[in-house]
Amino acid sequence: MTIHVWDYLPEYEKERDDIHDAVDTVFRSGRLVLGESVRLFEAEYAAYHGIGHCTGVDNGTNAVKLGLQALGVGPGDEVITVSNTAAPTVLAIDGAGATAVFTDIRPDTYLMDTDQVAAAITPRTKALLPVHLYGQCVDMAPLRRLADEHGLAVLEDCAQAHGARRHGRLAGTFGDAAAFSFYPTKVLGAYGDGGAVITGSPAVDARLRRLRYYGMTDAYYVDETPGHNSRLDEVHAEILRRKLRRLDEYVAGRRAVARRYEEALSDLTGPGGLVLPAVAEGNDHVYYVYVVRHPRRDDIIEALRGHGISLNISYPWPVHTMTGFAHLEYAEGSLPVTEALAKEIFSLPMYPSLPRETQEKVISALREVLTGW
């Protein structure tokens, strides 16, 4: 049987009764759209972050898009972000009518190089969009200073950072708003698509609620455009309510898997060898994915396929190199760290219910490949 980087079935077997009860609770409620489960999840997710407001939406892409729109970003504006991210981050900027402007990333953590942001600001810049990638936080202090100095909005992309902290503070609580994805693979994942935006601003939250519901405050009357049909589903909300209570447990499980990798593979690091994840000072990493690096990445992936192990690359193509984003006019070589990284990174299996024996098979196969060269 092939070993994959993610598998929900072990977790489902453990939580099956609770998941079934969640579905039954919704089906028996008499309300299938924007009912009690969404309302309660929004309140509980906001409370988890110690923040005032949460609006549930249909997916993480629209969480970013609606978050930008609720912060006043629109056509003609620029949003500074990174190219080393999932394409939906930039698709959401496009969807809001704005233009993505990229900075390069740090070569150790693979996160936004905040030292480059000031030079990227122009009179058209409206927002900063840091991506808390792979499970740890961008250094938010310099971004907050720049935003305050230039009158910019800050929207955090927290799709990969549920429960991550920087100097004890949760991801999503540094900016004016923060977007989350609850895609099944996430640290906090639904059984389908889902997303949310949290904010401390009542005005931003009120606009988010209109935007997700056709631009309406009351049924049948559109207050503003563009409106969307972007509601979080009741079933997913109820499942997320149950799983939110176990979020810290999921994070602890991921950290345990990461520790086992580090203990077993650290002797394979060094010049020209395997590069394990670096955790920035002050960060509490939640290891959404366990991204390693090696100059012979493609050979390793092919060799491990022969052992029945299917690995993943997050991400093989930087956004600025994709033909779908040619309109952004970034030439090859314009983001050298991002481009070099994309040729060498790959992800090892990572999820909290990863069986120890499965992880040991991956470690053994990887060691066999690397020590055999």
Side-chain angles (χ1 to χ4, degrees):
M1 186 170 65
T2 301
I3 296 172
H4 296 281
V5 292
W6 177 78
D7 185 355
Y8 75 92
L9 290 175
E11 179 182 286
Y12 174 67
E13 288 304 316
K14 181 180 178 181
E15 302 178 359
R16 183 175 182 271
D17 290 344
D18 196 29
I19 299 303
H20 285 198
D21 184 67
V23 174
D24 190 60
T25 296
V26 172
F27 286 177
R28 290 179 179 273
S29 72
R31 182 71 180 268
L32 299 177
V33 178
L34 291 185
E36 189 73 354
S37 293
V38 168
R39 185 187 70 79
L40 288 172
F41 173 71
E42 289 174 340
E44 290 159 7
Y45 201 60
Y48 177 85
H49 290 88
I51 205 163
H53 307 278
C54 172
T55 297
V57 298
D58 55 344
N59 57 63
T61 308
N62 280 337
V64 177
K65 178 182 175 182
L66 272 63
L68 289 170
Q69 291 176 326
L71 292 170
V73 175
D77 294 331
E78 293 178 349
V79 177
I80 298 175
T81 190
V82 291
S83 182
N84 179 40
T85 184
T89 302
V90 185
L91 288 168
I93 296 171
D94 269 11
T99 299
V101 174
F102 299 120
T103 68
D104 214 340
I105 57 176
R106 297 193 184 278
D108 52 352
T109 62
Y110 317 146
L111 298 170
M112 174 183 274
D113 187 344
T114 56
D115 292 338
Q116 298 185 23
V117 174
I121 295 173
T122 75
R124 293 175 57 194
T125 306
K126 191 64 174 285
L128 307 180
L129 180 50
V131 180
H132 300 313
L133 197 70
Y134 301 151
Q136 68 172 325
C137 296
V138 173
D139 184 3
M140 294 300 296
L143 296 184
R144 187 71 266 178
R145 287 194 296 270
L146 284 170
D148 293 342
E149 179 183 347
H150 294 274
L152 307 176
V154 178
L155 177 67
E156 299 173 63
D157 184 338
C158 300
Q160 302 185 10
H162 311 75
R165 295 177 183 268
R166 180 162 180 78
H167 298 302
R169 187 170 172 180
L170 279 166
T173 64
F174 296 90
D176 299 292
F180 291 83
S181 168
F182 303 124
Y183 188 73
T185 62
K186 303 303 183 185
V187 179
L188 179 62
Y191 277 67
D193 275 315
V197 183
I198 64 172
T199 181
S201 167
V204 171
D205 183 68
R207 190 165 189 218
L208 281 164
R209 291 177 181 276
R210 290 194 298 272
L211 289 171
R212 76 162 176 193
Y213 189 60
Y214 309 110
M216 298 177 182
T217 301
D218 298 312
Y220 305 117
Y221 187 90
V222 174
D223 297 276
E224 66 175 300
T225 57
H228 308 272
N229 178 6
S230 299
R231 301 167 296 209
L232 178 62
D233 184 83
E234 275 287 289
V235 170
H236 295 319
E238 185 60 33
I239 292 173
L240 287 166
R241 287 190 66 215
R242 313 297 180 93
K243 295 188 73 175
L244 178 59
R245 300 163 193 163
R246 297 187 283 269
L247 177 54
D248 292 342
E249 177 186 329
Y250 298 150
V251 170
R254 288 175 178 273
R255 287 176 176 154
V257 172
R259 282 194 299 272
R260 291 198 292 269
Y261 277 134
E262 185 169 4
E263 291 167 0
L265 299 172
S266 59
D267 64 313
L268 300 177
T269 62
L274 193 67
V275 179
L276 301 180
V279 181
E281 185 277 327
N283 275 356
D284 293 325
H285 206 311
V286 297
Y287 298 99
Y288 164 59
V289 283
Y290 193 85
V291 176
V292 298
R293 183 176 181 179
H294 195 281
R296 294 185 63 180
R297 184 266 312 277
D298 294 344
D299 294 332
I300 293 171
I301 290 177
E302 183 60 30
L304 288 184
R305 190 175 290 118
H307 288 264
I309 300 169
S310 178
L311 301 183
N312 190 42
I313 304 172
S314 299
Y315 299 95
W317 300 285
V319 174
H320 73 282
T321 68
M322 299 180 186
T323 57
F325 296 101
H327 61 283
L328 298 177
E329 299 183 338
Y330 277 82
E332 184 176 351
S334 57
L335 300 171
V337 179
T338 297
E339 292 170 31
L341 180 71
K343 296 180 175 68
E344 297 186 353
I345 55 170
F346 61 105
S347 301
L348 302 181
M350 168 57 74
Y351 48 97
S353 56
L354 177 66
R356 184 182 287 265
E357 59 271 22
T358 301
Q359 185 179 12
E360 288 173 353
K361 289 179 182 177
V362 173
I363 291 169
S364 176
L366 181 58
R367 291 189 62 85
E368 179 181 327
V369 170
L370 292 179
T371 57
W373 286 340

